[in-house]
Amino acid sequence: MSDNKTTHFGYKTVNNEEKAGLVAGVFHSVAAKYDLMNDLMSGGVHRIWKRFTIEVSGVRRGHRVLDIAGGTGDLAAKFSRLVGPTGEVVLADINDSMLKVGRDKLIDRGVCSNINYVQADAQYLPFPDNHFDCITIAFGLRNVTDKDKALRSMLRVLKPGGRLLVLEFSKPENELLSKAYDNYSFKLLPKMGKLITDDADSYQYLAESIRMHPDQQTLKEMMDDAGFAMTEFYNMTGGIVALHKGVKP
């Protein structure tokens, strides 16, 4: 799979080298209203999903945490408080618009002393081996061109015993919920995007990208293949979202 010259951008098939630029266009477009749209799209439930991720992380004072595709900094702000002045949080995002919005938001909140900001591609993380106690990627893995390569990159920079947490939209467990979710995603979501951000196409892509993302079991197997141990996942909101956890042996 990783050797293919093409990949998916939503439902479209594109060359591998094109995808990063296309995804960048989506997030440049939505960055300024990203937090507002998250609250509207999920009814605020994304905050509960992220809180659970923090609880499962096991992060404590003095730890070094990498938040990939950290966007506007929700997880980074919480990790900053947990690791304290002796710890470090790196908020990484491939998209400079999202990184700027996140940095400005956290600085405005006075959350900045132990957070560093790095523009980085998840497939080629610019950090030393065995460096982080915990890595999180929330709602970002589905946008990565080569997910297998990214998972191996994350494994490399984790310390032995360190945890990877992947929070991502997944496959609903119930057929009725799945149909209702499809109606919401493909009919309401682009209209909300048009109304709030004047960009229906980006939210159409986001809905499609969720459907093209590996299901819960497939992603667990991908983490196993990348070298993670003790992999497991937790379904939330009926499987609309899943949190995958893996540990570096």
Side-chain angles (χ1 to χ4, degrees), residues 209-228:
S209 71
I210 291 166
R211 298 312 183 279
M212 298 305 293
H213 185 66
D215 66 18
Q216 288 91 325
Q217 187 59 37
T218 304
L219 180 54
K220 180 184 182 299
E221 289 165 7
M222 289 169 68
M223 291 172 68
D224 290 337
D225 291 343
F228 286 94

Side-chain angles (χ1 to χ4, degrees), residues 3-242:
D3 295 327
N4 289 349
K5 296 288 194 295
T6 59
T7 187
H8 295 287
F9 176 73
Y11 288 165
K12 299 185 185 78
T13 299
V14 299
N15 291 328
N16 278 349
E17 58 269 22
E18 288 182 86
K19 179 164 179 174
L22 292 168
V23 170
V26 169
F27 286 94
H28 285 312
S29 174
V30 304
K33 299 283 181 69
Y34 187 77
D35 284 339
L36 174 61
M37 278 299 291
N38 270 356
D39 279 331
L40 289 173
M41 286 189 303
S42 72
V45 178
H46 73 99
R47 298 174 189 279
I48 296 170
W49 300 331
K50 289 171 182 171
R51 193 178 306 137
F52 181 65
T53 303
I54 297 284
E55 288 170 5
V56 173
S57 73
V59 167
R60 56 185 186 273
R61 289 182 74 79
H63 273 185
R64 190 180 281 147
V65 179
L66 171 62
D67 183 26
I68 301 173
T72 56
D74 286 353
L75 286 176
K78 292 180 173 64
F79 282 132
S80 171
R81 290 191 290 273
L82 281 175
V83 303
T86 59
E88 180 196 8
V89 177
V90 176
L91 195 168
D93 204 295
I94 196 171
N95 187 280
D96 63 324
S97 296
M98 293 293 287
L99 207 55
K100 286 171 185 166
V101 169
R103 183 180 60 210
D104 290 350
K105 183 173 90 172
L106 295 186
I107 289 172
D108 286 348
R109 286 184 181 177
V111 182
C112 58
S113 60
N114 60 357
I115 300 181
N116 292 312
Y117 304 87
V118 177
Q119 189 171 354
D121 184 333
Q123 301 167 121
Y124 309 101
L125 292 170
F127 307 107
D129 295 357
N130 308 315
H131 192 65
F132 293 100
D133 297 284
C134 181
I135 297 176
T136 54
I137 178 166
F139 307 114
L141 188 61
R142 72 180 187 281
N143 298 312
V144 174
T145 303
D146 189 330
K147 296 173 181 62
D148 296 305
K149 186 179 287 185
L151 289 169
R152 290 193 297 273
S153 183
M154 294 175 210
L155 184 76
R156 179 185 66 78
V157 302
L158 264 181
K159 293 177 181 177
R163 296 181 185 185
L164 169 65
L165 297 172
V166 181
L167 180 64
E168 189 54 270
F169 292 109
S170 203
K171 300 293 183 282
E173 302 163 280
N174 176 285
E175 192 60 35
L176 284 175
L177 178 61
S178 187
K179 286 178 180 173
Y181 184 45
D182 277 347
N183 276 332
Y184 168 75
S185 299
F186 290 104
K187 292 181 180 174
L188 279 179
L189 199 53
K191 289 178 182 174
M192 288 167 63
K194 176 69 177 170
L195 187 67
I196 304 297
T197 68
D198 196 29
D199 183 356
D201 289 346
S202 288
Y203 285 92
Q204 179 73 24
Y205 158 72
L206 291 175
E208 291 176 6
S209 71
I210 291 166
R211 298 312 183 279
M212 298 305 293
H213 185 66
D215 66 18
Q216 288 91 325
Q217 187 59 37
T218 304
L219 180 54
K220 180 184 182 299
E221 289 165 7
M222 289 169 68
M223 291 172 68
D224 290 337
D225 291 343
F228 286 94
M230 296 187 284
T231 56
E232 58 185 323
F233 61 84
Y234 309 86
N235 280 325
M236 293 181 277
T237 317
I240 286 174
V241 164

